Structure formats: structure tokens, C-alpha cells
Amino acid sequence: MNILLTGGTGYIGSHTAVVLAQAGHRVVLFDNLSNSQASTVDRLAQITGQRLPLVVGDVRDEALLANTLRDYAITAVVHFAGLKAVGESVANPLLYFANNLHGTIALLHAMQATGVRQLVFSSSATVYGNPHYLPIDEQHPTGSTNPYGRTKLHVEEMLFDLARSDASWHIACLRYFNPAGAHSSGLIGELPNGIPNNLMPYMAQVATGQRAELTVFGDDYPTSDGTGVRDYIHVMDLAEGHAAALQHLGSQPGWDAINLGTGQGYSVLEMVAAFSRAIGRPLPYRIAERRAGDTAACYADASKALTLLGWQAKRNLDDICSSAWAFQQAHTT
Ligand code: NAD
Ligand code: WQD
């Protein structure tokens, strides 16, 4: 297949590019580089032996997207491009509506104009809001607690209506749980700007000495050790989930939503222990107050992905931590 990855030089997009290129697909990257670098193309070439085309542009540029879809005879799109920082979305919701909603509408117009009807959308477990029960299956009620989450939910709903209006669309919304880790080469991974919001990159920066200690947000949750529990999924497993979804999509018209998680939850202290194993010494941390908006536990029922796509996560917590650490070391000067 000829596959366009919007947001293709970003964290999840670049790992998916590796898996798809190595599976023999023709992969084209489209990114405005607002949260990634053009040099990712060089690193992808080192990993795959292929120089993937990169179109630098914004997904709100409908004409550029339509030309790209035509020029490369694209048959399917994976739509990663978007902003993803929850706190920033609360402070600046219009920025998020413009990027994530307007960006998706422009992409859909361009796809409609060029006859491309297969789309995989990067959704998130955030569309479940605060869990009503665990593990979370795809029937769980949806809701959102912040503007970022609302953009994911609104896009999913737009896509649902679109698929219902025109039976030629094939759309899969993949609801990621907590992506973490890096490619085994250490060449690509997650490198947030500024102070990391998320647990894994924060622990990696504590390990390098860039930050003194991890702040553990709350130890009084109703979980095994009192700290928050999440479903951390290796980014290469996630990437393979996209390949499986694209394979499935060709024969599956309509709209569907599928969880991509491991089905296994780990607490913050279990994550600290795993990262300490990866670095070979105890990671310093201190317990603090709960973070506003956090939930006690969130993990997937991942059985639909197995039944429908034949996909399940293969890598474990130690694989996640050791790959994240290798990448962090290679990118710390
Ligand atoms: P990322 O920031 O590394 O990648 C997103 C890419 O999109 C970046 O390269 C950025 O430059 C690009 N981009 C942003 N706005 C754009 C625009 N208007 N036009 C063109 N390019 C644009 O983030 P990621 O972690 O790889 O996330 C990819 C997708 O997965 C996002 O949609 C995100 O919301 C979703 N997601 C991420 C997580 C997570 O924890 N990382 C969890 C669930 C869902
Ligand atoms: C994980 C656990 C924290 C940092 C977020 C978004 C979500 C999704 C993935 C995109 C929690 C604890 C964290 C720290 C800590 N993104 N923690 N100290 O909150 O599950 O999900 O990223 O869709 O929408 O909300 O991930 O990595 O921030 O937190 O103790 O410095 O680690 O309290 O229990 P979260 P996270």
C-alpha cells in the first residue's frame, strides 16, 4: 500500500513508519515539524535503509494535502498529526480546536476530493473520561475531562457520521493507552520539549541527572500500593497495531474503535522499580500530592484488537524501560 502518515516525524508516527516500511509499504511522511525534526528522516533511513519522502506542511493546508495524496497515489492515511498536551489544551483550547479539529476536517476534505477512503485515526483512552469499570472495553461510555480529550472525542464522532453518510469510507479509531519506550536502535524515541508532563520521559531525565528526582503524584489511591495505575504499551507494539489495522481496514468498510493497550496495569512505584532495573541503580523519587485531574487506575480490555486484528502487545515493562533509557542516553549531551 501507499500510506501517508500525517505527523509522521513525531514519536508514534516515526515508529509506525519503521514497521510499515519494513513490511514493504510505500510510506510518505507529512508534518509541520511543530513538535519534531526533519532529521528524523535520516534516522529512519539508518534503521530501514530507505529514505522516506517528507512533505513539510500543515494538515490545515488542504490543497497541499490533496496534491500529496495525488502525487504519491496514496491509498490509506494514518492521521497522527495533532497537539497532545492536556495542560496546554486547558490554557489554550482554541489552539487545540484549530489543530486537531480543523486539521482533521481539512484532511477529510482532501481525502474526499482525491478518492482516498481508508483512514486510521490516532485516538486515545482519554475518550473514556474517568473509568466507570476496569478493564476498559470499547463499549465503555465515552466522555472527556479536558479540551484535548474533547478534540479526540469530537473527531471520533465526526468520523462516525462520515462513515455512516457514505459507505465507501473505511475508518478505524485506535484508542491508545499509555505509549512508552523506543525503537531498539536508540535512534528514535520520545524527546519532549521542556519539563516532561508524562511519567516515562520524566523518569528518563531523572536518570540522566537533568532532574533531581521524580515527584510521585499521590500514594493514597485505592490501588495495590496507593499510586496511580496505567497501561503502558511499548511504542513498537503500538506501531505494529497500526500495521494490523491497515491490513484489516481494506476489507472492512464503516467505522470502528479499537483499544491498543496491553491489558495489564502497573503502578507508578512498579514503573520506578522497572526503570531502576534498567539503569542499574535506584531512581530517586518523593511522594507528593495527587495531580489534579488524575484517575486512580486505567487499563485496557485489549481482546477486540486480538479478535479483529490478530494483534496483541508482545513486549514487557523491562523492554519499555531499557529501550527508553538507551534512547535517552543517546540523546543527552
Ligand atoms: P508527537 O507530538 O510526537 O507527534 C505529532 C506530530 O504531529 C509532530 O511531529 C508534530 O510536529 C505534528 N503536527 C502537529 N500539528 C500538526 C499540524 N497542524 N500539521 C502537521 N503536523 C502537525 O505526538 P505522538 O505522541 O507521536 O502522538 C501522535 C498522535 O497520537 C497524536 O494525535 C496524539 O494525540 C495521539 N496520542 C498520543 C498519546 C501519547 O501519550 N503519546 C496517547 C494517545 C494518543
Ligand atoms: C502516568 C502516571 C501520574 C508524571 C496522559 C494523558 C492522556 C494520554 C497519555 C494522550 C499517573 C503519574 C506522572 C510524574 C507521576 N495522552 N506521574 N509523576 O496521565 O495517564 O495520560 O498521557 O492521549 O490523555 O492524560 O500519563 O504519564 O502523565 O501519568 O507520578 O511526574 O504517572 O499521576 O498516575 P496519563 P502520565
Side-chain angles (χ1 to χ4, degrees):
M1 290 167 90
N2 297 344
I3 304 168
L4 183 75
L5 307 186
T6 73
T9 49
Y11 173 45
I12 304 170
S14 58
H15 290 80
T16 304
V18 169
V19 169
L20 294 176
Q22 288 180 336
H25 296 292
R26 283 191 54 201
V27 176
V28 178
L29 312 174
F30 188 104
D31 204 296
N32 68 358
L33 305 177
S34 59
N35 197 34
S36 56
Q37 294 79 38
S39 60
T40 300
V41 172
D42 304 328
R43 296 195 287 272
L44 291 175
Q46 276 180 266
I47 297 170
T48 65
Q50 299 175 43
R51 201 161 178 85
L52 305 179
L54 166 64
V55 178
V56 177
D58 195 290
V59 281
R60 287 165 288 183
D61 186 342
E62 208 175 296
L64 179 62
L65 267 175
N67 286 338
T68 305
L69 294 172
R70 274 192 211 97
D71 289 350
Y72 292 96
I74 296 295
T75 45
V77 176
V78 186
H79 183 34
F80 296 103
L83 301 178
K84 61 169 183 176
V86 173
E88 184 183 50
S89 80
V90 174
N92 196 350
L94 283 182
L95 182 69
Y96 275 66
F97 299 150
N99 251 277
N100 296 5
L101 299 183
H102 182 184
T104 304
I105 293 169
L107 170 65
L108 294 171
H109 277 146
M111 290 177 71
Q112 194 149 47
T114 53
V116 182
R117 290 290 187 273
Q118 296 189 40
L119 175 67
V120 173
F121 173 60
S122 286
S123 190
S124 166
T126 192
V127 300
Y128 295 119
N130 289 320
H132 298 193
Y133 59 82
L134 292 166
I136 299 180
D137 59 19
E138 290 83 354
Q139 306 307 317
H140 186 286
T142 52
S144 52
T145 56
N146 57 72
Y148 164 72
R150 268 186 274 287
T151 66
K152 291 295 173 193
L153 201 49
H154 290 336
V155 167
E156 280 205 4
E157 289 166 351
M158 283 192 315
L159 296 175
F160 178 85
D161 287 337
L162 185 64
R164 203 165 51 171
S165 75
D166 174 351
S168 67
W169 283 93
H170 299 227
I171 298 175
C173 297
L174 300 183
R175 296 173 173 168
Y176 315 154
F177 280 67
N178 288 59
H183 187 262
S184 57
S185 63
L187 288 165
I188 53 173
E190 186 177 18
L191 212 55
N193 294 322
I195 302 172
N197 297 309
N198 297 116
L199 178 63
M200 283 296 297
Y202 202 102
M203 288 197 298
Q205 292 194 8
V206 172
T208 59
Q210 286 162 276
R211 316 217 169 262
E213 61 186 4
L214 172 72
T215 307
V216 175
F217 297 137
D219 68 347
D220 57 352
Y221 285 107
T223 60
S224 58
D225 61 20
T227 64
V229 166
R230 297 291 184 276
D231 186 338
Y232 298 94
I233 174 167
H234 196 297
V235 66
M236 288 303 291
D237 281 326
L238 199 60
E240 289 165 6
H242 289 74
L246 284 160
Q247 193 71 36
H248 166 78
L249 210 55
S251 58
Q252 192 60 49
W255 178 99
D256 212 350
I258 305 167
N259 286 342
L260 292 186
T262 68
Q264 170 78 52
Y266 288 103
S267 74
V268 178
L269 291 182
E270 286 172 324
M271 294 303 288
V272 170
F275 213 86
S276 300
R277 284 197 294 279
I279 64 176
R281 61 195 150 85
L283 188 91
Y285 69 89
R286 83 182 160 84
I287 307 286
E289 291 300 299
R290 292 181 181 191
R291 181 172 66 178
D294 269 358
T295 185
C298 177
Y299 50 92
D301 177 334
S303 55
K304 183 172 176 181
L306 181 59
T307 310
L308 214 58
L309 311 178
W311 170 91
Q312 63 184 335
K314 298 192 295 241
R315 297 161 181 88
N316 64 27
L317 208 53
D318 289 323
D319 299 326
I320 289 177
C321 292
S322 56
S323 62
W325 178 227
F327 173 75
Q328 186 69 37
Q329 283 175 293
H331 289 81
T332 306
T333 44

